[in-house]
Amino acid sequence: MTSAKSVTVRSATEQDRPAIAALQETGFGMRYGDDERALHHQLWPVERALVAVDNGRVVGHTTDITMTVTVPGQHTVRAAGVSGVAVAPTHRRRGILRELYTAQHERTESDGLPLTVFTASEATIYGRFGYDTAILDTAITIDRRRAEFRPSTPDPGGVELATLAESASHIEEVYGRWQRQVPGAQARPAAKWGMVFADVERHRDGATSLFVLVHPDGYALYRRRYRDHRSIVSVVELRAATQQAHLALWRVLLSIDLVDSVEAEISDDDPLPYLLTDSRAVRVTRRGDSLWARVMDVPAALTARAYRHDLDTVLAVHDPFRSAGGEFALRVRDGVAECEPTTRPAELVFDINVLGALYFGAHRARVLAAAHRIRVEDVPALRAFDEAFTTDRMPELGWFF
Ligand SMILES: CC(C)(COP(=O)(O)OP(=O)(O)OC[C@H]1O[C@@H](n2cnc3c(N)ncnc32)[C@H](O)[C@@H]1OP(=O)(O)O)[C@@H](O)C(=O)NCCC(=O)NCCS
């Protein structure tokens, strides 16, 4: 049996492409279509990939690109967006992921990025590397025939049917406006836009190609599918830079004839259920997480975002995977933070995962303290810390990777 010791981790080259693709297809149980291969290569340049090689054969892979992500206060941070993590089933549980991650996180540190993010396949793997859920999402299904808007709800109009080709630049422009408002949302690179507009077959999951609705401040991309003799609208992406656009688009989506239900993913502060006379017409079908985050540099990450309340506290942060931990004085005035190492005694003690969970505003510090994830040496300090980290708006993932 091969141990991780016989395995070498190195940067990938163009020659590794076929082996990397085969490993990912095996790991994630799918086949890349010809319509997406070139776009996939553009989005994930092979120079960023790390491979684990055993006896000349690629048995492990990880990669990342630098993403620009909005943080509370409508500032941005640069983050390593990790993707394509896979180890061959013949080589599992011998420490290959750990070796790949160690090399990758060393590189992220030397690149000076304050944050790493990814979408996780399983919830029990990544805590040991200092990650936690940073954005939550909720899948809903709406019984369209029960979905009536409250009489007081305006009907702003302004939505038109469009094609992807004619609305591409409008869609990109609106996405950019939306993304800059929303914590957690990433700027979308050209290669990823290429994938959206190519509407690749594998992403359709048996449904139609994309239908498009546009509004001057929003758009909705959706598919039609039939399941168990029911006709369904599946909203793939709805982005609205204003509340009016959000309402106008939902009014159209919920009035499409010959439709039994409308499926979508929404954030926790989406007003949609409150707009309807029967809030039970909106049924939650899945509660999940869409992004995980790890703070790589505590002062750089904590000073990059804004805060809701003034704060003066000392945090003790444990980081068993890397050495980003320590004691830090965190001071906030008028939303702006200063953070530096200190020798003062800590008021709040936690693993670095907690900062990933709190960073974009998806979780409350007081809840994590109740769950024994924060050791509280000073009760008023927890209250101030909890309030300071709250946000105006719940975080949302811009695009899945
Ligand atoms: C997940 C995957 C990458 C793990 O690779 P691996 O080389 O077997 O992992 P390692 O042996 O390096 O394990 C590293 C640690 O994670 C733990 N771990 C690995 N897989 C785990 C799992 N599925 N559930 C819980 N813990 C897991 C190991 O116990 C080990 O813990 P320790 O170092 O604290 O003792 C591999 O199983 C895989 O490719 N799965 C299919 C694709 C996938 O899910 N990729 C992840 C996408 S986010």
Side-chain angles (χ1 to χ4, degrees), residues 307 309-313 330-338:
Y307 296 85
H309 295 278
D310 287 353
L311 182 64
D312 252 311
T313 190
L330 178 62
R331 182 173 188 272
V332 176
R333 288 292 176 275
D334 300 324
V336 180
E338 290 169 9

Side-chain angles (χ1 to χ4, degrees), residues 233-249:
V233 163
S234 290
V235 180
V236 173
E237 182 163 304
L238 185 152
R239 300 296 181 224
T242 62
Q243 285 297 339
Q244 269 208 339
H246 171 273
L247 174 55
L249 288 163

Side-chain angles (χ1 to χ4, degrees), residues 12 14 39 84 113 115 118 131 147 185 222 257 278 284 321 324 342 363 371 385:
E14 203 56 45
L39 291 162
L113 300 179
L115 203 69
F118 64 75
Y131 287 85
Y222 69 92
D257 280 329
D278 181 354
V284 172
F321 177 49
T342 184
H363 301 280
F385 185 68

